[in-house]
Amino acid sequence: AAMEALSLPDSIQARILRYHSYIQRHHNPDMYDALLSGLSRDLVVDMKRFIFGRLLRESPMLSGLEEQQTAELVQAFTEIVVSPGDCVIAFGEEGDSMYFIIKGQMDVFAEHGEHLNTKKPGDYFGEIALIFPDRPRMAWIVARTFCVLARLSKASFDKIFDACPDLKAEMVRRMQGLPNVAVIFEDNNVQQQAQQILDRTDRKS
């Protein structure tokens, strides 16, 4: 009734119905609310550590964190659901989050539409924005299927890691060694920002 009242075209109505059908079958929010209701903070953290811990352990950038940072990170993740064809990251835009794929597949496209690869559950993307937010997004990333994503915002990341310069510097070093990311360090602004992060660690020591 609501869609008819808005005079939405049939194509958009069909997409909305498919979205809600997927949510009810695979990611029912009422079920999650009921599951979390009344749980202690420690139990919620343990549950989220189980759900998201593997994503962190398998991430070249975030693996090997201390227990405290891991607990804070899993608390900071928010889950979102996107539909096939939804653009999660647009080439050239300013980034403010990174994402892990829990369910589904995401296609990665170059600036002019060349298909580069397909990301699957356990993969992640958008990590550059956490360390170098001024660096524009380097690709289009579009949902191939319905996807459940774990989103980590830069604001949450900074809240956790600004007090841990050693860990932030280690992430920069790891990024410098990742083939798909290392190219950004050819940019003078990125080099300067990276050096500032590393210098803070050197001054502390």
Side-chain angles (χ1 to χ4, degrees):
M3 292 190 292
E4 293 177 358
L6 292 171
S7 300
L8 295 176
D10 291 344
S11 59
I12 293 180
Q13 290 191 39
R15 289 171 60 193
I16 292 173
L17 291 173
R18 286 196 298 270
Y19 174 85
H20 284 293
S21 175
Y22 178 86
I23 288 289
Q24 291 302 317
R25 287 185 289 115
H26 299 285
H27 201 71
N28 191 321
D30 294 334
M31 179 186 70
Y32 280 89
D33 288 343
L35 179 65
L36 295 174
S37 177
L39 297 184
S40 68
R41 179 186 179 279
D42 286 347
L43 187 51
V44 171
V45 170
D46 286 344
M47 187 185 75
K48 288 192 171 184
R49 186 185 285 113
F50 174 79
I51 295 172
F52 300 126
R54 179 180 60 84
L55 301 177
L56 296 178
R57 288 193 300 272
E58 295 179 359
S59 163
M61 192 176 87
L62 295 171
S63 63
L65 294 175
E66 297 177 3
E67 185 68 18
Q68 178 66 27
Q69 281 74 46
T70 298
E72 291 179 1
L73 271 180
V74 298
Q75 282 287 88
F77 278 127
T78 57
E79 291 186 35
I80 63 171
V81 178
V82 296
S83 301
D86 284 354
C87 180
V88 176
I89 283 181
F91 182 92
E93 73 177 1
E94 182 177 314
D96 65 355
S97 303
M98 77 173 293
Y99 301 85
F100 290 85
I101 302 175
I102 300 174
K103 296 179 183 177
Q105 298 182 356
M106 305 287 299
D107 283 324
V108 183
F109 298 95
E111 179 181 4
H112 301 296
E114 176 191 359
H115 183 262
L116 299 177
N117 60 64
T118 299
K119 292 187 175 291
K120 300 176 181 179
D123 291 340
Y124 62 91
F125 55 92
E127 68 275 17
I128 293 171
L130 299 185
I131 307 290
F132 306 111
D134 297 333
R135 177 75 184 184
R137 296 291 201 186
M138 300 169 61
W140 300 88
I141 302 187
V142 180
R144 173 186 285 255
T145 65
F146 280 104
C147 293
V148 180
L149 307 176
R151 175 179 179 267
L152 176 62
S153 71
K154 175 169 171 53
S156 296
F157 177 86
D158 286 344
K159 185 177 180 180
I160 297 168
F161 286 99
D162 277 354
C164 306
D166 290 348
L167 289 175
K168 205 167 187 180
E170 177 60 24
M171 290 179 193
V172 169
R173 296 187 187 97
R174 292 183 183 186
M175 292 176 75
Q176 290 173 326
L178 297 174
N180 62 322
V181 176
V183 64
I184 70 167
F185 291 95
E186 298 174 4
D187 182 280
N188 288 334
N189 289 333
V190 170
Q191 289 178 14
Q192 292 174 5
Q193 291 177 49
Q195 193 58 53
Q196 289 172 359
I197 293 171
L198 297 174
D199 286 346
R200 281 196 290 271
T201 304
D202 293 339
R203 286 196 298 271
K204 181 181 175 182
S205 59

